[in-house]
Structure formats: structure tokens, C-alpha cells
Amino acid sequence: MTVYFVSRHDGALRWARILQKQAVLPFDIDEYVPHIDPEQLHKGDVVIGTLPLREVQRLREQGVRFLNLDLQVPPDMRGQELTATQMTACGATLTEYRVTVKETFELDPLRKKRGRASGSPRPAVTIMLVSQEIMPQFLGFLHVPTPEVILIVTQSMARRADQLKALLQNAPQAPKVQGLPLDEAVGYLALRAYADSRMDELLSENRERIVVNLTGGTKLMSLAFGDASRTALREHDQLDILYVDTAQGRLEFLNRAAPENMLAVLGVADAVLASGKADAGCASAAPLFRKQMLRTPVHNALLRGDQSIIAALNSMSMDMESLRKGQKSEKLKWFDTQASSPKQGLFVMKKEVDPSIKFLRQRLEGALAGALGRSLHQHDVLIEPPTRTENGLSLRLTRPSEIDYLKGGWLEAHIASIIEKAKPDDWACGVQIGSEAGKNNEIDAIVTCGNRTLLIEIKTANLARESSQDDGEKSTKGQDTIYKLDSVGHELARNFNDNWLVSVRLLDQADRDRAEDKRITVFAPKESKEPASQAIADFEQRLHAWIAQHRQKAAVDATHPHRPLAVSAEWEKRQKQDDKAAYGAGKRIGQQSASEAPARGGLNDQAMGALAKLKAEMSAS
């Protein structure tokens, strides 16, 4: 530590030396200098004397202590050199002050005063600083819309600027968007000059209103535009300096006394678009899916039963799909290809039971021959209740789409019905994100509430099943699902989402640990004998709590309807396949006339009569 005494006055230097000899100074002075160079100082040094306040503030930033030489000089002695004796008489003391710069007022006489131009005012405008997190900027705009938006864009944020522009242009009050480039390598002074220049231009244009959203950008960008905005505020009263506090659900206007509470304005379509990809429709907008949502008794029957019944139903319906696509019969374990007629929705089980599915078949046959089979018939999945043949059960589907329903779509429909009853701000199931060929971009369910997003993956498959990756490594289905949910969740909503996984089958402990590491909440049975209904009940309870939690921070805005998603191409295709196949959808046996109802061998009375006539003619000939 070095102690400096700074003064150009001989009387002050003599006064300091006398007091040092008397050992009454708080520090021993090492050097007496006429002026001080801050560059030669180090943290912990001490400076005593008289300096301009700006220099004192700079010393404090360097960690250097400063003691000011204070005097109470009478008016008649001011402006003259004082002796050491006179300084003592004037009550010379050393005082340590803490100097902080609060605000600097620019007083350049050559600079033109910023003010409004003459003539009619131009439309209001919002300035946004683009960063990776574009949702706060969008939410701020929805609350304080303006006809025009200016995006301040650095080179690295060009892609996110395009995505923010697309998001804004899909807003209810779509603005005209302009992008202005900014060099991200510059420091504060250059950023401040840039911000001042932008504010000068807007003020000279006589804008009706200027909104500066400081939520995005780098810290230096936000600081520079904040300082420039506060300076401009003294010349333009219709200016708002905005920070969107999404964590607390508030709009902080830095030029106002109190914040405003945010309204719930975020919908599913907005959340998808914020990822940079347009939605390609969803399942829950399809009438076919809506009909499946009404099959709660079927869903409850499956959830209350043993997990093996769900596993068996998955395995059986996968064979149904293979048989309908015409795959080789030796790969099929459940159905007799000769007796079945997949184009008519008829599937007849094999006489010889494959040992690998013997247990599953017994469990499923028992359920289908009982209450589950009757419920599937009553809710239009099957044309008739399952019929026993000499091989096994015979199943007649009402439409081709029921294969996907039995394969796992039933759980998605059930979760959708739970979500709808919970009444979040917005929701959709089977949401297609983008349209890249060969890539699974579907999210099973997306829920929005209080400007937050909940992503849900829904599984009936065996998540412990292993598969080989491109690099030769093996991973479980659960591991793949967890990584997909984490990846898509980050891309879709970044820091505005929660991720949940709902499964009616067990997850191994390693996958549960992965999910916890990725902050994914899992709803699944904890042991093989536990019915899946408990996991679904836990999900429903947690969903209601999640909605209540986020609704407290942002009330529903009845004046802001969410943009609905269209029916996805996949579900349009399913509907066309159903219409073309016409197995007998919507017409149960008990509802048909005797002449229409299938009889022996699947023929109705009219067909039986024609067959008897043909046989008689053949006998006569």
C-alpha cells in the first residue's frame, strides 16, 4: 500500500509534513505529488488531498481510498494561498467520501436539442433488442402494441430476429417490422452513441409514442438504450421504458411509479412459432379425435386393469397394422392371415398361440371377451362385440383409424379430455411442429396458461425396450423419449416451459434419473402390479395445480382469442381412409334392420337369399 498527498500549494504541503512529524495523520505519507495519475495506482493505495469528483469516483472504482482535505475558509480569505497556520485556523480536516455517479447531463452547445418535428405525428413505435429469448419481447408487444416495431439486431441474432418478426406478424395487431443492424463487438460508449442516434431519429420524426423494450439484448445493449431512453424522456413525455418480468408476471415500466400485472395472452400457436417453425396442424382439431376423447369408459377400463393388458393391446394392434399393410405372415404372432380380412376390418386370431405372447394373449382375450370388449363395441370401436371362433377371438373394427387408437391413441385421447376439463388458457394434442420429412416433430400435448408452456409426452409403449442408434450404441425407448422432450422443449419454449412424461408402463430407474436430471416430471406406475390409473390421477391433480399456479400471475384476457390450429395432414389422411374403407363406422349390429344386419358368415338376409337362389340354379343345371 502506498500513501500519496496531492497538492500544488506550498502551505498545504508544509501543513501535511508538520502533522506527519507529529504522528497525528491517519496514514504515513509515502509521496508528496502535485498531481496524481490513476494509472500508477493499485488497489489498496490511499490518496490524500483535493481532486475533482470525477477523479474521486474513478479512484473508488479502482479500489483506492481517498481522503479529502476540507477547509472552512472565510469569504475574505478565498482565492489566496494559505499558510500551514492559516489552514489550521480554518479547521483543516481529512474526510473520506463515497462518490457515486447518479446521472450525467449532456451539455454540448453544438448539439441540436432533440424535439418533436412539426406536422402530423407519425405512428407509435416499439424498439426491441433481439436476443435468444424472444418470448418476453413478444409478450411485451401483445400488452403494449404499436403499429411499427424496430428490431436492433447483432450478427449472431439474425436468425432469432427472423423468428421474432414471424411471431410479431402473426399477432392480432400485426405491426410493420424493420430490422436495424448493430455491431456486437463494440463497447458501452459506442453502444450509447448508437442508442442516442436511434432516439434522435425517432424524436425528430414526431412519433405519437415510443416504447423501448429492454428485456432482450446483451447487458451492455440494455444499459445503453436504457440510458439513452431516460435522456430522451426529458424531451418526449410519450415514451415508455419497459422490462417484461415473466417470472413475476409483471410489466415493469421504468418511467412509472408502479408495475402492471400481465394478462394471459400466450397461446399454443404462438409458443410453436417462437421456436422458429410454423405449426403443421394438430390432432385435437379433428372431429375423429374429438370423438375418441368421449370414450372415457373404455379408457378407464384399460387404466384400471393390469399393465399386461395394455402391453398385449399394443402388441396386438401393431400386428393389426402390419397385416393391414400387407406384411409377411411369418412375422405376425396374433392373427391368422387366411381367416382375417383387414380391408374389411376383420381380424381373426391364430389357432396356434405363439409362446412369446401366450401370457399376454390369455390376459387380453379374457378382457376382450368381457367388459372391455363390450365397452369397445358400445363406443363404436368394434362393429360387434368380440366373437369367439375355433381359433380365438374375432374382432371387427368400425374404421381403419381404430388401429392407431388401440395402439396407444386411446391414452392421448384420454389425456386430452383431462386437459380440456381442466380449462387452461389454450391447449392442443398431437401438434405437428414443422414438416421435415422423416423426422418426428410431433408433441403429444401442449398446454399454455399464464404465459407459460407445458409440454407433455404420452406413452403406452414399453419404455424399457432397447434399440440401436446410428453410432451402434443402444438406448431405451424411455431414454429416447426423455432426450426428445428435453431437446424439443428447449427449442420450443426455452425458459418458459415445463416438461412432463406420462406413461402407463414402467420406467427403469436409470430413465427416471435421466428425467430428473433434465427436470422432466414423470407420471408412471412405480411397480408392475400398480394399475396405471394411479399415475393418471396424479397427473390430473398436478395439472390442476399447475394451471392454478400460473393463473395467479396472469389473468385470462377475454379480448385476446388464441389462434386455433388446423387439422394436421396426418389426421386429414386418417379421415379420408376411414371414409374410403367404410367398414361400418357408426352402424352397430343392433341398430340395423334384419335385411342389413350381417348373419352367418357375415352375410345379411338379402345376400343369403341370393346365395340360396344361385345354389338352386347350379343344382338344376
Side-chain angles (χ1 to χ4, degrees), residues 340-355:
S340 300
S341 180
K343 291 185 178 181
Q344 279 71 49
L346 176 64
F347 297 88
V348 180
M349 291 186 177
K350 284 183 177 181
K351 184 174 183 178
E352 298 295 331
V353 180
D354 189 303

Side-chain angles (χ1 to χ4, degrees), residues 286-297:
L288 188 60
F289 186 90
R290 304 290 305 181
K291 184 174 182 178
Q292 292 176 359
M293 288 172 57
L294 300 176
R295 295 170 174 171
T296 302

Side-chain angles (χ1 to χ4, degrees), residues 284 289 293 411-421 427 429:
S284 49
F289 186 90
M293 288 172 57
L411 183 59
E412 293 183 24
H414 186 61
I415 294 297
S417 67
I418 292 175
I419 294 172
E420 184 175 56
K421 291 176 184 176
W427 69 277
C429 282

Side-chain angles (χ1 to χ4, degrees), residues 83-146:
T83 65
T85 302
Q86 289 173 323
M87 287 180 61
T88 301
C90 289
T93 57
L94 299 180
T95 306
E96 184 172 7
Y97 292 101
R98 177 174 296 178
V99 180
T100 303
V101 176
K102 183 177 181 181
E103 185 174 4
T104 300
F105 296 90
E106 297 178 5
L107 303 174
D108 186 352
L110 299 179
R111 178 172 176 152
K112 293 182 180 179
K113 179 175 175 60
R114 299 190 295 195
R116 301 186 183 185
S118 59
S120 300
R122 291 189 59 184
V125 64
T126 297
I127 293 180
M128 297 183 181
L129 314 178
V130 181
S131 60
Q132 283 290 347
E133 200 68 84
I134 62 176
M135 188 58 73
Q137 302 283 18
F138 179 64
L139 292 174
F141 175 82
L142 291 181
H143 285 84
V144 190
T146 57

Side-chain angles (χ1 to χ4, degrees), residues 545-561:
W546 185 88
I547 292 172
Q549 173 191 354
H550 295 295
R551 186 154 285 161
Q552 287 179 346
K553 295 181 179 180
V556 175
D557 183 3
T559 65
H560 182 85

Side-chain angles (χ1 to χ4, degrees), residues 15-284:
W15 172 85
R17 287 190 174 97
I18 292 173
L19 293 184
Q20 183 169 8
K21 288 180 179 179
Q22 295 175 355
V24 296
L25 292 177
F27 299 98
D28 288 333
I29 299 172
D30 298 308
E31 296 186 33
Y32 292 85
V33 294
H35 66 275
I36 196 75
D37 181 4
E39 298 296 330
Q40 75 184 54
L41 301 176
H42 300 88
K43 185 177 181 180
D45 288 349
V46 178
V47 176
I48 302 172
T50 304
L51 291 176
L53 291 179
R54 175 73 72 176
E55 293 298 322
V56 175
Q57 192 268 341
R58 183 177 176 183
L59 294 182
R60 180 170 177 262
E61 289 181 346
Q62 291 181 236
V64 176
R65 295 182 66 181
F66 174 75
L67 278 67
N68 191 67
L69 175 56
D70 288 337
L71 295 169
Q72 298 178 8
V73 181
D76 59 333
M77 296 179 64
R78 292 174 187 172
Q80 59 179 289
E81 289 284 340
L82 301 179
T83 65
T85 302
Q86 289 173 323
M87 287 180 61
T88 301
C90 289
T93 57
L94 299 180
T95 306
E96 184 172 7
Y97 292 101
R98 177 174 296 178
V99 180
T100 303
V101 176
K102 183 177 181 181
E103 185 174 4
T104 300
F105 296 90
E106 297 178 5
L107 303 174
D108 186 352
L110 299 179
R111 178 172 176 152
K112 293 182 180 179
K113 179 175 175 60
R114 299 190 295 195
R116 301 186 183 185
S118 59
S120 300
R122 291 189 59 184
V125 64
T126 297
I127 293 180
M128 297 183 181
L129 314 178
V130 181
S131 60
Q132 283 290 347
E133 200 68 84
I134 62 176
M135 188 58 73
Q137 302 283 18
F138 179 64
L139 292 174
F141 175 82
L142 291 181
H143 285 84
V144 190
T146 57
E148 296 182 20
V149 169
I150 296 175
L151 304 181
I152 307 300
V153 189
T154 60
Q155 299 92 320
S156 62
M157 290 295 112
R159 180 170 174 268
R160 290 301 278 171
D162 290 340
Q163 294 166 355
L164 177 54
K165 181 178 179 180
L167 196 57
L168 291 167
Q169 291 176 336
N170 277 274
Q173 301 181 48
K176 177 183 177 182
V177 182
Q178 174 189 6
L180 295 180
L182 173 63
D183 186 354
E184 58 192 332
V186 298
Y188 171 77
L189 293 180
L191 287 172
R192 175 62 193 272
Y194 178 92
D196 280 330
S197 177
R198 299 288 79 77
M199 297 306 299
D200 282 347
E201 292 174 4
L202 294 178
L203 289 174
S204 67
E205 292 170 353
N206 193 17
R207 294 283 181 166
E208 289 182 349
R209 186 183 190 187
I210 302 172
V211 179
V212 184
N213 190 328
L214 300 178
T215 318
T218 64
K219 291 181 179 178
L220 279 181
M221 288 170 61
S222 182
L223 183 61
F225 272 88
D227 290 342
S229 299
R230 279 187 284 270
T231 300
L233 189 60
R234 293 192 291 270
E235 303 170 25
H236 189 88
D237 53 1
Q238 294 300 313
L239 189 150
D240 279 317
I241 308 171
L242 173 64
Y243 179 84
V244 182
D245 186 351
T246 54
Q248 302 301 323
R250 292 196 298 254
L251 299 175
E252 293 281 358
F253 291 94
L254 306 188
N255 57 303
R256 300 184 190 176
E260 290 184 10
N261 291 328
M262 293 175 65
L263 295 173
V265 293
L266 180 66
V268 172
D270 299 325
V272 174
L273 197 57
S275 71
K277 298 179 181 178
D279 71 86
C282 67
S284 49

Side-chain angles (χ1 to χ4, degrees), residues 389-594:
T389 67
E390 60 179 8
N391 292 337
L393 287 183
S394 170
L395 305 175
R396 288 182 177 274
L397 299 180
T398 57
R399 52 183 71 81
S401 61
E402 301 302 347
I403 296 177
D404 285 305
Y405 172 77
L406 294 174
K407 196 171 65 174
W410 65 270
L411 183 59
E412 293 183 24
H414 186 61
I415 294 297
S417 67
I418 292 175
I419 294 172
E420 184 175 56
K421 291 176 184 176
K423 297 181 179 180
D425 296 343
D426 195 20
W427 69 277
C429 282
V431 181
Q432 294 288 339
I433 303 173
S435 55
E436 294 94 332
K439 187 176 181 181
N440 181 9
N441 290 319
E442 180 178 314
I443 293 293
D444 292 336
I446 302 179
V447 182
T448 62
C449 191
N451 300 320
R452 303 288 295 188
T453 306
L454 173 62
L455 309 182
I456 307 172
E457 279 292 294
I458 304 166
K459 298 299 177 187
T460 61
N462 178 12
L463 297 184
R465 187 178 75 249
E466 288 189 339
S467 60
S468 298
Q469 304 300 308
D470 294 338
D471 57 4
E473 296 292 327
K474 290 187 176 296
S475 64
T476 65
K477 181 72 173 176
Q479 181 179 346
D480 296 341
T481 300
I482 290 165
Y483 286 149
K484 173 199 169 185
L485 184 55
D486 178 63
S487 174
V488 175
H490 178 72
E491 183 178 359
L492 185 67
R494 296 183 183 270
N495 299 319
F496 288 82
N497 69 293
D498 295 292
N499 299 332
W500 292 0
L501 171 59
V502 179
S503 172
V504 290
R505 308 276 290 278
L506 285 174
L507 273 76
D508 61 34
Q509 190 56 47
D511 285 335
R512 284 186 175 273
D513 292 341
R514 288 189 187 95
E516 183 177 359
D517 181 62
K518 300 292 183 182
R519 298 183 181 179
I520 295 173
T521 303
V522 174
F523 301 92
K526 296 179 176 60
E527 56 182 37
S528 58
K529 294 183 179 180
E530 179 185 317
S533 56
Q534 183 59 53
I536 302 303
D538 292 343
F539 162 80
E540 184 171 7
Q541 182 179 14
R542 184 70 175 273
L543 176 66
H544 282 273
W546 185 88
I547 292 172
Q549 173 191 354
H550 295 295
R551 186 154 285 161
Q552 287 179 346
K553 295 181 179 180
V556 175
D557 183 3
T559 65
H560 182 85
H562 299 298
R563 180 165 57 89
L565 274 63
V567 179
S568 66
E570 178 184 345
W571 278 81
E572 290 277 12
K573 181 179 178 181
R574 289 188 190 185
Q575 187 65 63
K576 290 179 180 178
Q577 288 177 340
D578 282 358
D579 295 341
K580 184 178 179 180
Y583 295 163
K587 295 178 72 175
R588 303 193 195 114
I589 300 303
Q591 298 173 329
Q592 298 170 347
S593 65

